[in-house]
Amino acid sequence: MIRISTRSGRGICHTPRTARLSTAISLEPKVGDHEHGFVLERTKHVPELELTAFDLRHIKTGAEYLHVARNDKNNVFSIGFKTNPPDDTGVPHILEHVTLCGSKRHMLPRSLSNFMNAYTSSDHTTYPFATTNPQDFKNLMSVYLDATLNPLLNADDYAQEGWRIGPENPLASNGESPGPDTESKLIFKGVVYNEMKGMMSDASYLFYIRFQDHFFPSINNSGGDPQKMTELTHDQLQRFHTNHYHPSNAKIFTYGDMSLLEHLQELDRRLGTFTRNRRAMDFKVPIRLDDGPINVAVKGPVDPLMDKDMQYKTSISWLTGETSNVLETFSIGIISTLLRDGYGSPFYRNLIESGLGTDYSANSGLDTGAKIGIFTIGLNGVKKADVPKVKEAIVKTLEEVRSNGFERNKIDGLLHQLELSLKHKTAQFGLGLMQRLSPGWFNGVDPFDELEWDKTVSAFKAKIYDGRYLETLMEKYLMNEKNFTFTMEPYGAYEDDVAVEEATRLQKKLEELEQSSGGKAESRTQLEKKELELLEVQEKARDQDLSCLPTLHVKDIERIGDNPDLRHSYVEDFPVQWREAPTNGLTYFRAINDLAKLPTELRSYVPLFTDAIMRLGTRDLTMEQLENEIRLKTGGINVGYHTSTSPLDIGQCREGFTFSGYALDENVPAIYTLIQKVVLETDFDSPEAASKIRELLQSVSSGALSSIAESGHSYARRFAAAELSPEGRLSEQLDGLSSIDFTAKLAARHSTDTLEDIIAKLKDIQQVALTKDCNFRVALTCSPESVRTNESHLSRFLSSLPPTTDTPSFRVDTPAPPSARTSKSFFPLPYQVYYTAQVFPTVPYTHPFSGPLGILAKLLTHKHLHHEIREKGGAYGGGASAAPLGGTFALSSYRDPNPLNTLKIMHEAGEWARDRAWTERDLEEAKLSEFQNVDAPRAVSSEGMGQFLLGVDHNMRQERRERLLDCTAKDIKEVADKYLVQRTERAALCVLGEKKEWVGSDWEVRSMGVMSEAVKAQADDKLEATA
């Protein structure tokens, strides 16, 4: 890890970071000063956030610049532009991608940044990064400024990232076709095009974006609608950049402990070459609702994991005030939370617990991302007959709350949570601050107002003491007929219609091209030629000379990694790991009850158990009352499931329940009391238990399809890995496609089913979850001053745990071994794109080849798979990943239009890596990439958790660190051959997406959910029709 401060103890005077920061701030410019082309217009010290903000303006161009000085070595930079989309072609999104393809001076550099990305929001685009290394910061700031203000915007990059028409397999004419008839098929291609096809396959996203289309038509779809994207031209993209990516339209943000004056010097050097331009800062607003309620209904896809009678989505929205009124916006946010959050909230009781829907719709909540706020409440999983009842229930709930008022203790609980969030030190505070300020800043909200946290909270408390402040705000904005109801109706042929529309649009484009090029054969030849030319450009880019880039070097990485001081003791004969460090008056508690004897028959029910104990309540307290106590006394408590592979042997794993929470030091006993209550006293025998458990099952199933669409490559990877190790099998069973399938089948039980067998299993789990077992262990992170008090509180908690109970009904087995299922699994799911994964078994964490496998993953990703799967193949993502603790190596693709081509690339990836002549520069880049993660900053609450949760001590980490640093080209070739080439037959494949003719008898087709047979039959019908 790179150090910024000078180590003391070697005869060098050491100045504490806080003193250095104070000195640096004292040297910064004063209000009215002109420095390096900027004028400092105002400053603001915010003691509760331990920061000082500087508001500056670039004199020549008018660029706005906010610098936040704080004692944090994880420095952040961001440049953003107002990019109101003129249409639905996705021009801001495609421009974001093409911009990062290179500038007139740079491509993206080798870096130790722990965060590099770009965001296309609804009306602005930002390019942020974070790094703990000052030289890295300077390098990246130079590159980001040049990339955004002086990008190349090549036509080839536009065709690659945006859209184009080309042969599905352009190399088929050379005899390299991976499948039948692909050489004759022309398709729409492009990274963003396929990304958005994947997004549109997500029913929750589709509902949200169609809602936006109708309620906020002045803001077009910035991400892009595939049906409109093919109307965009390269010239339009370039004009959009000229009009929007200009310093006069920019907002620049920096954060951390580096010098403002140095930032100003570099910024002026880049911005000073521009002159002032027209600003494109229009603030868009939603439709007017002055004429009363508006109702809109659209058609959407059927969710195959949900009951066929519960397929409607519906919501109701109101406009609130201008978001520049920070106090009022904060207050309405409190109202939104009080109305929606928690099982005891009014909307949850009256909408979800009542059975009107399964969970909140994707647009629910308060949206403050524009000039005018929008409050929405809606439901998924609604029956057709219940759609009008949803609005009635919402209006009735609001009337009840206005009449009865909000309970003061619930408001106090929320304020306590906000207080703890300020005290809780995160590793990415600067990035979080930038992301929180940006939407308002781009819509006229003063960022200084948003930073004045204490002032806002104090003003809110004063309003609360005056009486019915929140209820008055509800009357002002929500208790009226000026609302907008949006409903999405299920339409069984939705996916078919989308496919027909794309085919029709493609045919129209081809006919236009035929007319302009002189015929069908000529147009095809032209398209094939362009595709091959693009492939040639992409291939040359793979090995381009990057020596001109500003860069760091592996020699800049410290050989000895950080080693937080840990202490180990025993309390009541249980092992305890202590991390004593400044925690701002907070104590963090974690515990694991290792379950070496968890019955196999119960394991699949563990996720439901951990949900149920936070839903049902106890015999003497409702869940609403428990939630109030949790908010008033703690920063939250959690009960979950944990499994990890031994760092010494991938054939060995541990599993158990995890318990965690944090609180102010004086409230630590409440963590223990509340955990005991929810785990040991949850009332599974209450009359409402069955209905609440069914509600949980339906809620999980309702969101499952969208969850898979968002992270399909992770699900595919997890399913494939289940064949390769005991821990992989457990992870899949409890957190993978198998778990989703299991939950969907439980949720599909008839409404008259009493669920007695399920409840019996949950009660069995309750008996073993939290016991005085010999495998119970604890980790505490706290300040040194609170150790003695914490030890006393912990002793009382541990001594009060119940003894282990043996239950005769248990059938005790060891964790299930890897299954004997086929190594090629296919899940037919209603997506327009595919998710693929191939997983290989490798070695334990401590094995000498664990490090080289990590470097191989970076090399394959950046030197091969990204080029082949994303740039050439058009998938949104493609790469390799090594799981050092899981003992696996995975190749995967994400939102992939061409899985056959990807599978071929994956099959040959090992040989490609083995046979390539790796250079020192290749290894240098891969190691820098790997250490972005290895040395990423961590919150104090996370320090030591690798050892506690995973069994990886400092010696193991240090040994692997040195192997990463010392990895050679010979090591890369050896591991590629040994673990990818030679283990091809042992690798497992998993693909998710629409079933087509290439999914033959050598694939195991696995269906999911209550409508899976219908989906499978629909796919088979399509194949027959095609044939």
Side-chain angles (χ1 to χ4, degrees):
M1 177 181 248
I2 296 173
R3 301 289 181 187
I4 298 177
S5 60
T6 303
R7 290 281 191 182
S8 59
R10 296 188 181 180
I12 298 175
C13 178
H14 175 66
T15 306
R17 293 180 64 86
T18 51
R20 290 205 312 279
L21 182 64
S22 299
T23 302
I25 289 177
S26 68
L27 297 175
E28 303 295 11
K30 304 298 187 291
V31 173
D33 286 355
H34 288 216
E35 291 283 354
H36 300 296
F38 283 84
V39 59
L40 178 60
E41 298 190 326
R42 55 184 176 154
T43 65
K44 179 70 180 179
H45 182 58
V46 187
E48 63 270 25
L49 297 178
E50 301 174 320
L51 60 81
T52 300
F54 299 80
D55 181 19
L56 303 106
R57 177 175 48 82
H58 190 241
I59 299 168
K60 187 176 180 182
T61 65
E64 298 178 38
Y65 176 29
L66 176 65
H67 173 69
V68 177
R70 193 168 187 259
N71 182 32
D72 189 344
K73 69 179 182 180
N74 195 24
N75 287 269
V76 176
F77 169 87
S78 172
I79 183 168
F81 305 92
K82 186 74 169 178
T83 51
N84 290 326
D87 48 41
D88 288 338
T89 60
V91 59
H93 188 188
I94 295 173
L95 178 58
E96 172 220 311
H97 280 243
V98 179
T99 293
L100 293 178
C101 289
S103 68
K104 295 174 182 177
R105 295 185 59 194
H106 299 309
M107 300 290 287
L108 286 184
R110 298 177 290 255
S111 166
L112 277 174
S113 67
N114 53 77
F115 184 90
M116 287 174 62
N117 211 332
Y119 297 117
T120 301
S121 301
S122 60
D123 61 1
H124 63 278
T125 306
T126 51
Y127 295 81
F129 69 79
T131 180
T132 59
N133 183 271
Q135 186 58 49
D136 198 27
F137 185 97
K138 295 173 184 177
N139 294 346
L140 287 171
M141 184 165 74
S142 172
V143 170
Y144 266 48
L145 287 169
D146 202 53
T148 54
L149 298 175
N150 299 292
L152 294 174
L153 301 184
N154 288 331
D156 289 331
D157 292 332
Y158 168 73
Q160 171 185 287
E161 298 295 321
W163 76 273
R164 66 188 186 277
I165 298 174
E168 187 171 25
N169 176 31
L171 299 178
S173 58
N174 297 331
E176 299 181 23
S177 172
D181 300 326
T182 53
E183 69 275 9
S184 62
K185 189 174 182 182
L186 293 171
I187 61 171
F188 284 121
K189 308 175 85 169
V191 172
V192 176
Y193 184 82
N194 286 307
E195 176 191 356
M196 297 314 297
K197 282 181 69 174
M199 290 293 290
M200 290 297 191
S201 296
D202 180 340
S204 293
Y205 174 82
L206 182 65
F207 178 81
Y208 175 78
I209 208 67
R210 292 295 179 245
F211 161 78
Q212 288 285 104
D213 289 344
H214 289 85
F215 191 54
F216 213 141
S218 62
I219 288 288
N220 293 292
N221 185 347
S222 61
D225 186 334
Q227 297 183 3
K228 304 291 186 181
M229 198 175 292
T230 51
E231 297 172 8
L232 182 67
T233 67
H234 182 226
D235 286 343
Q236 290 171 332
L237 180 93
Q238 291 177 313
R239 284 198 299 273
F240 190 85
H241 177 271
T242 299
N243 293 333
H244 293 80
Y245 279 45
H246 188 279
S248 299
N249 201 42
K251 295 183 187 295
I252 300 167
F253 174 92
T254 55
Y255 163 92
D257 63 0
M258 292 179 65
S259 166
L260 168 60
L261 290 175
E262 291 185 17
H263 294 341
L264 293 175
Q265 189 172 6
E266 173 64 15
L267 287 170
D268 184 52
R269 190 167 71 88
R270 299 293 183 173
L271 305 184
T273 60
F274 292 84
T275 57
R276 190 178 293 263
N277 197 0
R278 182 185 64 84
R279 293 167 64 85
M281 287 287 180
D282 295 344
F283 303 141
K284 303 297 184 180
V285 295
I287 61 174
R288 297 179 62 87
L289 298 174
D290 296 340
D291 296 331
I294 297 175
N295 296 275
V296 173
V298 300
K299 294 179 179 180
V302 171
D303 186 337
L305 301 184
M306 283 296 295
D307 188 301
K308 61 181 176 62
D309 295 324
M310 302 169 64
Q311 295 284 338
Y312 282 76
K313 296 176 173 64
T314 189
S315 67
I316 180 171
S317 304
W318 290 265
L319 299 177
T320 59
E322 293 199 4
T323 51
S324 57
N325 186 333
V326 172
L327 174 59
E328 190 174 83
T329 300
F330 174 85
S331 303
I332 298 172
I334 294 289
I335 292 173
S336 175
T337 302
L338 291 169
L339 288 172
R340 294 176 61 248
D341 286 12
Y343 294 117
S345 64
F347 277 142
Y348 191 92
R349 285 199 310 266
N350 294 346
L351 299 179
I352 298 176
E353 191 174 293
S354 68
L356 285 175
T358 56
D359 65 346
Y360 293 124
S361 59
N363 58 343
S364 290
L366 178 64
D367 183 351
T368 60
K371 185 174 177 61
I372 304 294
I374 304 170
F375 177 76
T376 301
I377 187 71
L379 291 176
N380 299 326
V382 180
K383 296 178 181 177
K384 182 178 182 179
D386 288 343
V387 170
K389 297 178 184 177
V390 172
K391 183 173 182 178
E392 295 170 6
I394 290 171
V395 172
K396 182 179 179 182
T397 301
L398 292 173
E399 291 172 347
E400 290 174 353
V401 172
R402 179 182 60 177
S403 175
N404 299 330
F406 291 103
E407 297 177 36
R408 183 55 194 263
N409 68 335
K410 292 186 176 181
I411 298 173
D412 291 341
L414 287 183
L415 294 176
H416 181 250
Q417 295 296 301
L418 295 174
E419 177 191 358
L420 291 186
S421 71
L422 293 182
K423 288 181 172 291
H424 176 57
K425 295 182 176 180
T426 67
Q428 298 289 2
F429 179 88
L431 274 171
L433 186 66
M434 181 276 298
Q435 291 166 347
R436 186 166 69 86
L437 295 177
S438 290
W441 194 14
F442 277 102
N443 282 281
V445 179
D446 187 341
F448 272 36
D449 289 345
E450 291 205 90
L451 286 172
E452 291 183 311
W453 189 259
D454 273 359
K455 179 180 177 181
T456 301
V457 173
S458 296
F460 174 78
K461 289 179 178 179
K463 292 280 189 180
I464 291 296
Y465 285 125
D466 287 344
R468 293 173 59 82
Y469 170 60
L470 295 182
E471 293 79 7
T472 301
L473 279 179
M474 284 181 56
E475 292 173 358
K476 180 178 179 181
Y477 291 117
L478 307 182
M479 309 300 297
N480 56 63
E481 285 295 304
K482 299 176 182 178
N483 52 52
F484 176 84
T485 300
F486 182 75
T487 302
M488 182 170 279
E489 306 167 350
Y491 175 50
Y494 182 85
E495 286 89 359
D496 291 340
D497 285 0
V498 169
V500 169
E501 186 281 332
E502 183 178 49
T504 303
R505 177 164 37 93
L506 175 63
Q507 184 59 37
K508 182 179 178 182
K509 289 285 184 183
L510 290 174
E511 289 173 356
E512 293 172 357
L513 185 59
E514 289 169 14
Q515 291 180 357
S516 63
S517 58
K520 185 173 184 179
E522 290 78 6
S523 65
R524 181 177 182 88
T525 299
Q526 182 179 331
L527 291 171
E528 289 176 345
K529 180 182 178 183
K530 285 185 176 180
E531 191 73 13
L532 291 173
E533 289 172 349
L534 179 59
L535 287 175
E536 185 177 351
V537 170
Q538 292 166 333
E539 191 61 31
K540 288 180 179 178
R542 183 202 300 270
D543 298 312
Q544 69 185 102
D545 183 9
L546 303 180
S547 59
C548 63
L549 289 178
T551 185
L552 293 178
H553 301 280
V554 171
K555 66 183 181 182
D556 297 320
I557 302 172
E558 285 202 358
R559 191 163 184 84
I560 306 299
D562 273 355
N563 182 23
D565 293 330
L566 302 177
R567 181 171 63 85
H568 295 84
S569 70
Y570 283 86
V571 176
E572 299 294 326
D573 295 326
F574 293 100
V576 181
Q577 174 183 293
W578 297 86
R579 171 65 176 129
E580 299 169 29
T583 58
N584 224 7
L586 298 174
T587 292
Y588 299 87
F589 164 80
R590 291 180 184 82
I592 296 179
N593 188 17
D594 285 334
L595 297 174
K597 297 181 179 180
L598 181 65
T600 301
E601 66 197 59
L602 299 182
R603 191 172 287 114
S604 294
Y605 292 88
V606 166
L608 178 59
F609 173 79
T610 58
D611 286 343
I613 61 175
M614 300 301 292
R615 173 67 188 98
L616 269 60
T618 67
R619 286 185 173 85
D620 59 338
L621 290 173
T622 65
M623 197 63 231
E624 182 177 4
Q625 292 170 320
L626 284 169
E627 286 175 336
N628 288 345
E629 282 297 299
I630 291 169
R631 285 177 170 168
L632 285 166
K633 298 292 179 63
T634 78
I637 63 171
N638 181 264
V639 180
Y641 172 82
H642 171 75
T643 179
S644 65
T645 298
S646 165
L648 304 172
D649 180 2
I650 58 176
Q652 301 294 321
C653 72
R654 303 169 76 174
E655 64 174 332
F657 281 99
T658 60
F659 312 92
S660 63
Y662 75 97
L664 295 169
D665 290 340
E666 60 266 29
N667 289 336
V668 169
I671 297 175
Y672 303 136
T673 299
L674 289 164
I675 287 176
Q676 284 181 301
K677 277 190 175 295
V678 298
V679 177
L680 301 177
E681 300 179 25
T682 290
D683 186 8
F684 288 103
D685 294 319
S686 69
E688 302 85 15
S691 63
K692 291 179 178 179
I693 290 170
R694 188 187 313 279
E695 166 196 311
L696 287 172
L697 292 168
Q698 291 176 341
S699 178
V700 172
S701 294
S702 175
L705 201 65
S706 294
S707 176
I708 298 171
E710 180 65 27
S711 304
H713 61 312
S714 297
Y715 280 101
R717 192 164 54 215
R718 190 178 296 118
F719 189 85
E723 295 194 27
L724 306 179
S725 71
E727 191 272 336
R729 181 66 169 168
L730 294 177
S731 295
E732 165 59 25
Q733 186 179 359
L734 277 84
D735 194 30
L737 295 169
S738 300
S739 179
I740 290 176
D741 190 34
F742 179 79
T743 302
K745 288 171 180 174
L746 294 181
R749 289 195 183 185
H750 197 275
S751 59
T752 59
D753 193 322
T754 60
L755 308 184
E756 290 181 0
D757 58 324
I758 297 176
I759 292 173
K761 288 180 171 63
L762 298 180
K763 291 168 70 175
D764 283 345
I765 295 174
Q766 188 177 32
Q767 295 184 51
V768 299
L770 182 60
T771 61
K772 195 177 293 186
D773 190 277
C774 62
N775 293 316
F776 195 90
R777 50 198 171 95
V778 176
L780 281 173
T781 301
C782 62
S783 64
E785 309 86 62
S786 64
V787 168
R788 181 170 295 184
T789 305
N790 268 311
E791 192 166 19
S792 175
H793 294 325
L794 180 62
S795 176
R796 285 194 290 272
F797 167 64
L798 294 174
S799 63
S800 68
L801 293 178
T804 303
T805 302
D806 291 327
T807 305
S809 65
F810 285 176
R811 183 181 79 252
V812 178
D813 294 322
T814 56
S819 71
R821 53 182 166 82
T822 180
S823 63
K824 296 173 67 174
S825 300
F826 187 92
F827 286 80
L829 290 170
Y831 302 139
Q832 300 177 50
V833 287
Y834 292 82
Y835 305 86
T836 68
Q838 183 177 29
V839 183
F840 302 78
T842 58
V843 296
Y845 184 94
T846 54
H847 192 281
F849 281 151
S850 175
L853 283 164
I855 302 300
L856 173 62
K858 297 299 182 183
L859 288 168
L860 273 173
T861 296
H862 298 303
K863 294 296 182 181
H864 185 53
L865 299 178
H866 178 85
H867 295 286
E868 296 295 328
I869 296 175
R870 178 179 166 125
E871 293 180 351
K872 294 181 183 179
Y876 183 51
S881 58
L885 272 162
T888 58
F889 190 97
L891 311 174
S892 60
S893 72
Y894 179 68
R895 293 179 179 162
D896 187 350
N898 195 351
L900 270 181
N901 181 58
T902 296
L903 292 175
K904 180 177 183 291
I905 292 165
M906 289 179 174
H907 181 74
E908 298 170 350
E911 293 179 358
W912 184 90
R914 180 196 63 191
D915 299 338
R916 182 175 170 87
W918 296 106
T919 66
E920 284 302 315
R921 182 180 298 157
D922 293 335
L923 292 173
E924 183 100 349
E925 292 172 3
K927 290 175 184 179
L928 288 170
S929 179
E930 177 71 7
F931 275 89
Q932 290 176 8
N933 301 319
V934 173
D935 284 345
R938 287 171 176 77
V940 64
S941 57
S942 299
E943 293 174 348
M945 287 303 102
Q947 182 163 335
F948 178 70
L949 296 171
L950 308 172
V952 178
D953 61 26
H954 173 67
N955 291 334
M956 294 177 184
R957 289 197 309 274
Q958 181 60 35
E959 190 174 60
R960 187 171 187 272
R961 181 186 190 89
E962 292 174 10
R963 287 168 176 160
L964 288 168
L965 290 170
D966 298 338
C967 179
T968 66
K970 179 176 177 294
D971 296 331
I972 296 299
K973 289 172 171 287
E974 187 171 355
V975 296
D977 182 60
K978 187 168 185 177
Y979 298 107
L980 273 62
V981 178
Q982 295 183 31
R983 294 195 176 185
T984 299
E985 298 304 318
R986 294 175 58 186
L989 277 170
C990 181
V991 179
L992 319 179
E994 182 184 358
K995 183 185 175 187
K996 293 189 176 180
E997 68 278 359
W998 56 266
V999 183
S1001 59
D1002 57 330
W1003 289 83
E1004 180 184 2
V1005 179
R1006 301 177 63 90
S1007 299
M1008 292 179 62
V1010 296
M1011 294 180 65
S1012 57
E1013 293 305 319
V1015 173
K1016 185 178 179 182
Q1018 185 181 31
D1020 290 340
D1021 289 344
K1022 285 184 181 179
L1023 290 180
E1024 290 180 12
T1026 301

